[in-house]
Amino acid sequence: MTPPVPVPTLKLERELFGTGAPMVLACDEVGRGALAGPVTVGIVLIDPTVRRMPAGLRDSKLMPEPKREAMAPRAASWVHAWAVGEASAAEIDEHGIMVCLGLAGARAFQALTAAVEVAADVPLLLDGNYDWLSTSIERRVRVTTRIKADRDCASVAAASVIAKVHRDGGMRRAHDELPLYGWDENKGYSTPAHFAALDEHGPSALHRATWLHERPAEAPTLFDLGVG
């Protein structure tokens, strides 16, 4: 029997509002493990007037692509404000993935704060167990890391869906320009067909050259990578 897909809630966010926080930010990244394309960070802002989350909102990795695509505009209209930032494959090659997570996050934060006023020292929920964001935004908010926040916290799930659909759209456009690697299907992640195309055509400018030296014995499935 297939276990039920976990449903995120606003429990943690409402606890933060209960401490007097005037707003809560939430942040998630996508594309961290891809062979090609950018790493993308989504950030959203909610306030205490936030309504019940859109029905069907889940961690982007737990949603089939058609449902993610349909959910992204609903998630964007549900939150008070949102933004996306990216760091390119060339930047990842030059600086490394951890620096580029912070770089993409800083770009998303800058775009958000250019659109809306963000109070100093407000809480920000960050998916994972490592804070790669604080130093990049000069600790302007109070970052709390939480493992599986994209699964459990509705605001982080919204950030994850917005970021994922944004990045997927970019990879589909890249496929239209250069259809050799199947980016419309694999979105730049490791698949046998992607490796076969690399063997035949070599890497493109969108590939992370520093990531291509070692190939896993067996590429992970698209489902495992949250692509399907």
Side-chain angles (χ1 to χ4, degrees):
M1 183 176 179
T2 304
V5 175
V7 178
T9 71
L10 284 166
K11 181 176 183 294
L12 181 55
E13 293 92 329
R14 295 208 182 279
E15 288 176 359
L16 293 169
F17 290 136
T19 68
M23 58 187 67
V24 170
L25 301 175
C27 189
D28 196 17
E29 57 78 19
V30 297
R32 179 173 179 170
L35 294 176
V39 63
T40 303
V41 171
I43 185 169
V44 304
L45 182 155
I46 61 173
D47 62 26
T49 67
V50 65
R51 305 182 307 277
R52 180 179 297 180
M53 73 177 192
L57 177 63
R58 302 290 187 271
D59 168 15
S60 65
K61 296 186 294 297
L62 301 179
M63 300 181 72
E65 185 170 359
K67 289 189 175 181
R68 281 199 306 264
E69 296 286 332
M71 178 57 66
R74 296 174 60 201
S77 63
W78 172 64
V79 300
H80 181 72
W82 63 273
V84 172
E86 294 188 323
S88 69
E91 288 173 320
I92 293 168
D93 282 338
E94 181 176 357
H95 302 295
I97 188 63
M98 297 310 297
V99 169
C100 285
L101 284 171
L103 184 59
R107 288 168 177 166
F109 186 79
Q110 182 179 17
L112 184 77
T113 55
V116 296
E117 184 176 355
V118 175
D121 201 38
V122 298
L124 181 147
L125 299 175
L126 179 65
D127 180 58
N129 61 0
Y130 177 72
D131 177 7
W132 41 260
L133 182 61
S134 287
T135 57
S136 298
I137 59 172
E138 299 177 340
R139 303 190 183 278
R140 293 168 61 188
V141 298
R142 183 164 26 96
V143 172
T144 297
T145 60
R146 184 182 178 101
I147 296 173
K148 300 295 185 183
D150 51 0
R151 181 195 67 184
D152 298 332
C153 301
S155 60
V156 184
S160 115
V161 168
I162 291 169
K164 175 65 175 165
V165 170
H166 178 92
R167 185 182 186 279
D168 283 359
M171 295 306 295
R172 282 194 294 269
R173 289 189 294 274
H175 173 83
D176 290 341
E177 296 177 5
L178 186 66
L180 302 175
Y181 304 95
W183 290 327
D184 59 331
E185 294 184 355
N186 62 52
K187 309 303 190 294
Y189 285 94
S190 304
T191 66
H194 193 171
F195 282 130
L198 280 165
D199 287 340
E200 182 176 358
H201 305 290
S204 72
L206 203 63
H207 281 96
R208 304 173 186 178
T210 54
W211 292 46
L212 301 178
H213 300 308
E214 294 186 9
R215 178 176 304 185
E218 184 176 348
T221 66
L222 291 174
F223 178 80
D224 291 339
L225 293 165
V227 175

